[in-house]
Amino acid sequence: KPCSHLMNPEPKCLDHELPIQEVGLSLSRLDSRTLSEGFIITKEGLYLGMANVQDLLAAITEMQILAARYANPLTLLPGNVPINSKIDYLIQKKITFTACHFDIDRFKPYNDVYGYDLGDEIIRLLGSLIVSYSDTEIDFVGHIGGDDFIGLYQSKNWMERCTSILHGFDSKIIQYLSEADLS
């Protein structure tokens, strides 16, 4: 019999530079037969190799373990190692981005007066605001430590996003302050 009876005439082909999350999402939409056959990895449209779902799951699991190892325990956002890796990657690939540093003014005196528990809530508040106003597909948010965060924005409207973060923080911080301090 000709091999064309056994082969898939339209195999799944994925470029080697496609982020692993996108590979997983793309493969999750395939039928089980196609998944069991594996997929072709290409470079500039040419055959580079084959992979299977088990390889993909192993790679994703390894990435999650590394991400958890280097995550900030308070916010669970990427810490310094992934931040530096992301910056190095963007520079190496010559990808245009804007780095924004977020720091809460007068945070140490706040912690001294209100305590570390409320201070931690404020840090988590800022982290969640930065994430919510970022495009998780192309932007990167990291927690340097304490009240310091970094946003690596590929979004063209990064300034609007940062302005929204500042306004969001200003509107929410008042619930964490006493009337006397507000006045």
Side-chain angles (χ1 to χ4, degrees):
K1 291 183 180 179
C3 68
S4 60
H5 289 256
L6 301 172
M7 66 180 240
N8 182 346
E10 295 181 28
K12 185 66 176 177
C13 298
L14 299 167
D15 188 78
H16 77 291
E17 289 197 350
L18 193 65
I20 200 160
Q21 294 87 347
E22 288 184 40
V23 171
L25 185 61
S26 176
L27 293 177
S28 70
R29 297 181 177 132
L30 297 177
D31 60 70
S32 58
R33 177 177 179 244
T34 307
L35 280 178
S36 66
E37 292 173 348
F39 54 97
I40 297 173
I41 301 169
T42 61
K43 180 178 181 179
E44 297 173 5
L46 301 175
Y47 177 84
L48 190 62
M50 290 285 299
N52 58 46
V53 174
Q54 290 81 5
D55 295 333
L56 178 66
L57 288 174
I60 290 173
T61 302
E62 186 176 321
M63 284 178 58
Q64 289 174 332
I65 290 169
L66 281 174
R69 180 180 300 147
Y70 295 114
N72 183 288
L74 182 60
T75 59
L76 302 178
L77 290 171
N80 292 323
V81 170
I83 291 168
N84 291 334
S85 294
K86 184 66 173 185
I87 292 170
D88 289 345
Y89 172 81
L90 292 169
I91 290 171
Q92 177 189 4
K93 295 290 183 182
K94 296 181 177 17
I95 297 171
T96 302
F97 70 98
T98 301
C100 299
H101 177 251
F102 299 90
D103 176 74
I104 303 172
D105 290 341
R106 297 177 289 286
F107 183 71
K108 182 166 178 3
Y110 178 90
N111 247 0
D112 292 342
V113 171
Y114 289 90
Y116 292 106
D117 287 342
L118 274 179
D120 287 351
E121 280 189 47
I122 302 278
I123 289 170
R124 283 191 291 269
L125 167 68
L126 179 56
S128 68
L129 283 168
I130 298 169
V131 169
S132 69
Y133 285 107
S134 298
D135 181 344
T136 56
E137 297 281 321
I138 58 174
D139 300 329
F140 177 91
V141 177
H143 187 171
I144 298 168
D147 65 324
D148 293 298
F149 293 84
I150 189 164
L152 304 175
Y153 292 98
Q154 293 177 62
S155 299
K156 301 295 181 218
N157 62 345
W158 63 270
M159 178 118 23
E160 294 164 31
R161 292 176 184 279
C162 290
T163 301
S164 296
I165 293 165
L166 292 173
H167 290 304
F169 187 81
D170 286 345
S171 70
K172 292 186 185 280
I173 191 66
I174 58 176
Q175 68 190 19
Y176 295 94
L177 298 168
S178 70
E179 290 295 324
D181 287 339
L182 278 172
S183 64

